[in-house]
């Protein structure tokens, strides 16, 4: 599975390489990566594996695989994707957790978390945000106590748009 994550990141970076070569208006010094759910997990992964982006935005992505396993209402998904229980694949879970990356880039980072998200517990956002703050990575967290895995209330969409720079 860890090889799969690395392969997916490689594919994303090749796509960006292509876009940079094809579209001359892209400013390589002002690129951002944004993702929600699995895309949020990929943004968290990118955080520990490249400093290519000026800004990263993670929306409801896993940061700590082990704690996510024990706090989700979708336990079947974790076991289906790894083809094993946590006990059977503990080292695998550690390999694919963005939390255990050896380096976390000094990249502006925004994190959006929602209290009513039962797929990924709100603690995933606090875990990532606390880690970034302790490492002095410029970061901010948007917290919505009345949202689930996706922002569905129009009034809550406004802060997501207004908090960009």
């Amino acid at each position: 599975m860890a090889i799969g994550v690395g392969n997916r990141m490689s594919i994303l970076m090749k796509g960006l390489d292509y876009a940079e070569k094809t579209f001359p208006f892209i400013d390589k010094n002002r690129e951002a990566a944004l993702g929600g759910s699995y895309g949020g997990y990929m943004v968290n992964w990118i955080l520990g594996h490249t400093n290519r982006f000026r800004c990263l935005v993670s929306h409801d992505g896993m940061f700590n695989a082990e704690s996510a396993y024990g706090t989700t209402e979708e336990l079947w998904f974790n076991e289906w994707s790894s083809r094993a229980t946590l006990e059977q694949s503990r080292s695998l879970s550690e390999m694919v957790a963005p939390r255990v990356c050896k380096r976390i880039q000094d990249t502006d980072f925004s994190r959006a978390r929602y209290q009513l998200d039962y797929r990924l517990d709100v603690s995933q956002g606090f875990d990532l945000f606390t880690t970034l703050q302790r490492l002095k990575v410029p970061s901010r967290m948007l917290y919505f106590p009345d949202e689930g895995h996706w922002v569905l209330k129009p009034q809550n969409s406004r802060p997501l748009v207004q908090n960009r720079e």
Side-chain angles (χ1 to χ4, degrees):
M1 187 172 178
I3 294 169
V5 175
N7 284 342
R8 290 179 185 115
M9 182 170 163
S10 175
I11 291 167
L12 290 172
M13 296 303 107
K14 286 177 184 175
L16 182 55
D17 290 339
Y18 174 81
E20 289 172 348
K21 290 177 193 167
T22 306
F23 304 106
F25 59 83
I26 293 177
D27 183 347
K28 295 179 187 179
N29 297 315
R30 297 180 63 206
E31 292 177 327
L34 299 85
S37 196
Y38 183 81
Y41 165 69
M42 286 304 300
V43 167
N44 297 344
W45 184 264
I46 286 168
L47 176 67
H49 290 86
T50 183
N51 59 0
R52 186 168 179 173
F53 299 96
R54 182 173 173 192
C55 172
L56 298 171
V57 179
S58 174
H59 160 84
D60 279 339
M62 183 196 64
F63 179 65
N64 183 330
E66 191 167 341
S67 70
Y69 183 90
T71 58
T72 183
E73 46 97 311
E74 288 190 341
L75 189 57
W76 66 269
F77 183 78
N78 294 328
E79 293 179 357
W80 175 83
S81 67
S82 65
R83 307 290 192 261
T85 66
L86 179 66
E87 292 74 23
Q88 295 166 328
S89 65
R90 189 168 303 276
S91 63
L92 181 62
S93 293
E94 290 174 2
M95 290 186 336
V96 300
R99 178 187 66 80
V100 298
C101 294
K102 297 298 182 228
R103 61 172 203 230
I104 290 189
Q105 304 300 321
D106 185 12
T107 302
D108 286 346
F109 198 91
S110 292
R111 175 78 174 159
R113 286 306 309 175
Y114 315 110
Q115 183 64 48
L116 301 178
D117 184 352
Y118 302 114
R119 185 174 308 165
L120 280 169
D121 188 69
V122 70
S123 62
Q124 292 291 304
F126 287 115
D127 191 351
L128 173 57
F129 183 69
T130 299
T131 299
L132 295 172
Q133 291 290 292
R134 297 295 291 160
L135 295 173
K136 300 190 183 337
V137 174
S139 50
R140 73 191 104 197
M141 180 169 167
L142 299 175
Y143 172 69
F144 296 95
D146 59 343
E147 292 285 7
H149 195 63
W150 302 107
V151 176
L152 300 176
K153 297 178 178 156
Q155 68 272 20
N156 289 340
S157 296
R158 176 172 266 132
L160 292 172
V161 174
Q162 290 175 338
N163 277 285
R164 72 191 196 298
E165 293 180 16

